[in-house]
Amino acid sequence: MNITIRKIGNSEGIIIPKDVLDRMGVKAGDELTLKEESGQIQLIPQNADLAEQLRAARMGMEKYRVALRELAK
């Protein structure tokens, strides 16, 4: 499958065919992780639940950082 890089505003991007998105289980608005390695690009669907849990954990750690620091001693 060949895909062309296109100008999108001030950026450049690609259009991913719908059947590929369906096989990956993603849709418009979902977040992907881009991994570049050895001249190849991988798009990996992010787990939305895990991302939300990590965000909540970071907020809790920031809010209670003094208490956590004392507990770590």
Side-chain angles (χ1 to χ4, degrees):
M1 175 181 312
N2 293 326
I3 296 176
T4 303
I5 298 174
R6 302 171 190 263
K7 185 84 171 149
I8 302 174
N10 290 332
S11 300
E12 295 175 355
I14 61 170
I15 304 298
I16 303 172
K18 178 138 176 54
D19 62 318
V20 173
L21 295 175
D22 290 343
R23 285 196 303 267
M24 291 178 65
V26 295
K27 62 187 180 313
D30 288 351
E31 292 188 17
L32 302 172
T33 299
L34 185 140
K35 187 175 178 183
E36 185 272 324
E37 189 174 290
S38 302
Q40 295 184 349
I41 295 173
Q42 291 182 330
L43 296 175
I44 304 161
Q46 274 193 342
N47 182 334
D49 292 336
L50 177 59
E52 181 59 33
Q53 290 170 0
L54 289 172
R55 193 177 357 246
R58 284 187 192 103
M59 286 174 46
M61 286 186 288
E62 178 62 27
K63 182 175 181 180
Y64 298 107
R65 76 173 179 267
V66 174
L68 290 170
R69 188 177 303 128
E70 289 299 315
L71 288 171
K73 291 182 181 179

